[in-house]
Amino acid sequence: MSSLYDTGTDKSLLRALNRQKERIKYDEQMADRETTIKNELAINKKADWAENLESASTNRRLKEEERLREEEANHSGKALIEIRRAALRTLLKQEYAQYETELHQQGKAFYFKRE
């Protein structure tokens, strides 16, 4: 009887070992699949990051260009004011010289208070 018992035990032991090997094989397949999915997710994240980086870079460049345009317009406005002031100074000097010669011809002069 012990030989029958051993044979039955051997068969059930072999079945158990086969089931264990199948579970191990299945677990390894699942681990490989999980690793593949994790790698693909990481690659997708990097691709999304690169796409967002490009659009963010474009937005940053556009904002910088707009800031430079505003700054240039501001500086050109200031330069225009300086040009107008210089032209006005020149005009005032010319008019002053003209009035001074007219007054001098009449025997008159500008009044300057001495300090």
Side-chain angles (χ1 to χ4, degrees):
M1 246 201 196
S2 71
S3 66
L4 286 176
Y5 183 73
D6 288 340
T7 307
T9 303
D10 287 340
K11 285 182 184 180
S12 64
L13 184 60
L14 285 174
R15 272 190 245 133
L17 285 174
N18 285 336
R19 279 186 291 205
Q20 186 177 12
K21 285 180 185 180
E22 287 175 15
R23 275 195 306 267
I24 291 172
K25 185 178 177 182
Y26 180 76
D27 288 344
E28 288 173 353
Q29 287 176 345
M30 292 317 253
D32 288 342
R33 288 179 184 168
E34 286 179 6
T35 303
T36 303
I37 290 172
K38 285 181 183 179
N39 289 338
E40 288 175 356
L41 287 174
I43 290 169
N44 288 340
K45 278 185 179 180
K46 287 179 185 177
D48 288 342
W49 176 80
E51 287 177 10
N52 291 336
L53 180 66
E54 184 176 334
S55 66
S57 175
T58 302
N59 289 340
R60 198 174 317 119
R61 182 182 50 81
L62 291 175
K63 285 180 183 178
E64 180 66 17
E65 287 175 0
E66 180 64 26
R67 186 189 65 79
L68 288 175
R69 273 194 296 274
E70 288 175 3
E71 187 176 322
E72 186 176 326
N74 189 20
H75 287 303
S76 66
K78 288 180 181 179
L80 185 60
I81 289 170
E82 288 299 317
I83 291 170
R84 286 181 182 167
R85 284 182 181 166
L88 283 174
R89 281 189 207 107
T90 305
L91 182 63
L92 285 173
K93 285 180 185 178
Q94 289 173 353
E95 288 179 356
Y96 183 82
Q98 180 183 354
Y99 292 142
E100 192 173 31
T101 56
E102 289 176 6
L103 286 174
H104 186 64
Q105 288 173 354
Q106 295 175 6
K108 298 178 182 178
F110 286 115
Y111 172 75
F112 293 105
K113 184 177 180 182
R114 294 184 188 179
E115 293 183 30

